[in-house]
Amino acid sequence: MSRPGISITARRAGTFCLLLIVALLVQATLVQVLRAGEYNDSPANRRATVERYARPRGNILVSGDRITGSRATGRMLKYQRTYTNGPLYAAVTGYSSQIYGNTLLEGVEDGVLSGTDPRLAGFAPWSALTRMPQPGGDVVTTIDAAAQQAALKAMNGKRGAVAAVEPATGRVLVLVSTPSYDPGSFAGSSDADRTAWGRLQADPLQPMLNRALRQTYPPGSTFKVVTAAAALTAGADPDAPTDTPEPLRLPNSSRELTNEAPGCLDATLRFALIRSCNTVYAKVGVEAGLDRMVRQAQAFGFNDPHLTIPVGVAGSVFDTRMDLAQLALSSIGQYDTRATPLQMAMVAAGVANGGKIMRPRLVDRLTRSDGTAVALLSEKTYRQAVDARVAAELRSMMEGVVAEGTGTNAQIPDAVVGGKTGTAQNGLENRGTPYAWFIGYAGKDGAAPAVALAVVIEDSDARRADISGGGLAAPVARAVMESVLKGR
């Protein structure tokens, strides 16, 4: 015979236990489903970080050799990034730090390098079932190791950058930014890593600034190649007098523009490029008009804020709203005109490649750890900057610059070299140290150009009066071009 009191107590206990189970299920659902993202992203959750550094990272390769590695730490974060000759390649690799994250190729290709990219799975269903982590894959770059080393050596401690590309394919051969830094100095999570990072952040020379890709400069007279392209496209004769006075009064202004070189009065476009006459190209830019100049600049890649190689590149700028005096200055690479070294290398590459600019790319292929490819990157057209006729005329004019003009320091025996020098004014009322520029291309005699490049030097030990693109930047360009041609 049942006792009602015990039965009621049991039912109540059972109901209470059921409520507890429901509450636990609700809480588990809340934690594991609804709030999973919040907990995963919480700074207090170290699981994802521990898992990320539980195995070696894949590598970045240059000319077939690994320029990165991983070493065991003996700590909770088991592996940290190492770099072979880190300062030489910092503008290419960026950094991978246990504290400060990833940048440049280390950031853009992090999925492949860390092993989380689904393309690395050999048999996707089996990988999903076993949930075994994939070893990190590799990133094979387009960089030419010898040319990269030649560029850094030729810069010889000067502050600036070098960017070089292969005109026919867009493969980036050189990216150097000086001064540089060692990304391995803060790859870990120790006090020493934090100290190294703080020292780099406080350095007034900004060694972590990627000047080749992320810094824009007034391009100075190197921009005259773009202005010449606009004039030639409009039908101008490069060997006809331009009816240019000297000095040239800027439109609607009392300011007069002068030249450093003699012989610029009524000079032709060809002579004015060879001797770098400001007055001629300022006048030509005004006569071409704002719309035509904007179209031509954009055909070479200016005003494109979305260029990636796949690393993001700072947008180069040619203003779309200016008065005539401002247009005159912009047409000789001053006023608000600004360009990255890579952008100016693309200008030279477009001229060298018959007017067609290939999309610049820093990566040849992505592979699994065993070397099998998961992605092959091929050349793609970026812009048709000018037609073949105009490109041929520009090449002839640029080759004159190197043969007998301001760019003679870029001459290479048994090679065809074209170029343009530039000395860009800088700072408030142009009181800063001028920037020395050289853009150009080179190929073995009778062969298509193998390399196009841009060199900019921000500062050096030279006296202000001795700073020029031909004197400072052209020798650096020659060293890089020689290295590329030697390897072909």
Side-chain angles (χ1 to χ4, degrees), residues 297-310:
Q298 292 182 168
F300 275 106
F302 282 78
N303 298 339
D304 179 1
H306 305 299
L307 179 64
T308 60
I309 64 170

Side-chain angles (χ1 to χ4, degrees), residues 162-168 173 222 225 232 270 273-274 300 341 344-356 386 388-403 407-421 437-455 473-474 476-485 488:
V162 182
V165 300
E166 188 175 61
L173 303 177
T222 61
V225 174
L232 294 172
R270 185 183 305 278
L273 197 74
I274 290 173
F300 275 106
M344 295 313 296
M346 291 164 62
V347 169
V351 173
N353 194 42
K356 181 188 295 185
V386 293
R389 175 193 64 83
V390 170
E393 201 64 76
L394 288 170
R395 284 199 301 274
S396 174
M397 295 163 67
M398 292 176 70
E399 287 160 21
V401 170
V402 175
T408 55
N409 280 337
Q411 292 176 0
I412 300 173
D414 302 318
V416 176
V417 182
K420 182 68 191 82
T421 59
W437 277 92
F438 182 88
I439 68 170
Y441 59 85
K444 292 182 178 179
D445 196 4
V451 56
L453 84 176
V455 177
V476 176
R478 181 184 64 233
V480 176
M481 294 187 293
E482 282 181 323
S483 178
V484 174
L485 295 181
R488 299 302 167 100

Side-chain angles (χ1 to χ4, degrees), residues 62-82:
V62 168
S63 296
D65 295 325
R66 296 174 179 175
I67 60 169
T68 59
S70 297
R71 71 172 180 84
T73 65
R75 306 172 69 176
M76 180 183 294
L77 305 183
K78 292 183 179 180
Y79 290 93
Q80 77 175 53
R81 196 54 143 169
T82 62

Side-chain angles (χ1 to χ4, degrees), residues 153-453:
K153 181 179 179 181
M155 288 297 284
N156 192 29
K158 303 178 188 73
R159 190 163 72 244
V162 182
V165 300
E166 188 175 61
T169 64
R171 298 173 75 247
V172 176
L173 303 177
V174 172
L175 284 179
V176 163
S177 176
T178 53
S180 189
Y181 68 98
D182 182 4
S185 66
F186 54 88
S189 55
S190 68
D191 289 342
D193 293 289
R194 290 182 171 86
T195 299
W197 173 269
R199 188 181 302 115
L200 288 168
Q201 294 297 304
D203 192 328
L205 297 181
Q206 297 181 282
M208 296 185 70
L209 172 63
N210 191 325
R211 291 168 164 84
L213 301 179
R214 301 283 175 80
Q215 179 73 334
T216 61
Y217 304 87
S221 291
T222 61
F223 191 81
K224 290 172 184 173
V225 174
V226 178
T227 304
L232 294 172
T233 298
D237 180 349
D239 296 307
T242 56
D243 192 28
T244 304
E246 185 178 9
L248 174 72
R249 176 167 290 186
L250 298 181
N252 306 317
S253 169
S254 60
R255 179 176 176 182
E256 290 186 334
L257 195 62
T258 59
N259 300 294
E260 296 288 337
C264 294
L265 179 66
D266 197 25
T268 66
L269 285 176
R270 185 183 305 278
F271 180 92
L273 197 74
I274 290 173
R275 298 297 177 187
S276 204
C277 299
N278 291 331
T279 53
V280 171
Y281 278 94
K283 179 176 180 288
V284 165
V286 171
E287 290 174 346
L290 179 60
D291 289 345
R292 183 179 293 278
M293 285 298 300
V294 169
R295 287 197 302 272
Q296 187 62 76
Q298 292 182 168
F300 275 106
F302 282 78
N303 298 339
D304 179 1
H306 305 299
L307 179 64
T308 60
I309 64 170
V311 174
V313 181
S316 298
V317 178
F318 187 82
D319 278 359
T320 59
R321 299 179 65 182
M322 292 182 278
D323 63 30
L324 292 180
Q326 293 164 344
L327 177 59
L329 294 174
S330 295
S331 298
I332 58 172
Q334 296 289 169
Y335 184 54
D336 285 342
T337 304
R338 298 190 64 88
T340 62
L342 179 64
Q343 170 62 72
M344 295 313 296
M346 291 164 62
V347 169
V351 173
N353 194 42
K356 181 188 295 185
I357 302 175
M358 305 305 291
R359 182 172 291 278
R361 59 185 175 89
L362 185 54
V363 175
D364 258 341
R365 62 187 182 277
L366 307 174
T367 75
R368 299 182 180 89
S369 58
D370 62 5
T372 56
V374 296
L376 298 173
L377 288 86
S378 58
E379 55 264 25
K380 296 180 180 179
T381 300
Y382 174 65
R383 301 276 168 84
Q384 185 71 41
V386 293
D387 63 31
R389 175 193 64 83
V390 170
E393 201 64 76
L394 288 170
R395 284 199 301 274
S396 174
M397 295 163 67
M398 292 176 70
E399 287 160 21
V401 170
V402 175
E404 56 177 315
T406 58
T408 55
N409 280 337
Q411 292 176 0
I412 300 173
D414 302 318
V416 176
V417 182
K420 182 68 191 82
T421 59
T423 306
Q425 299 304 314
N426 165 45
L428 183 64
E429 297 183 354
N430 296 332
R431 293 175 181 170
T433 302
Y435 298 134
W437 277 92
F438 182 88
I439 68 170
Y441 59 85
K444 292 182 178 179
D445 196 4
V451 56
L453 84 176

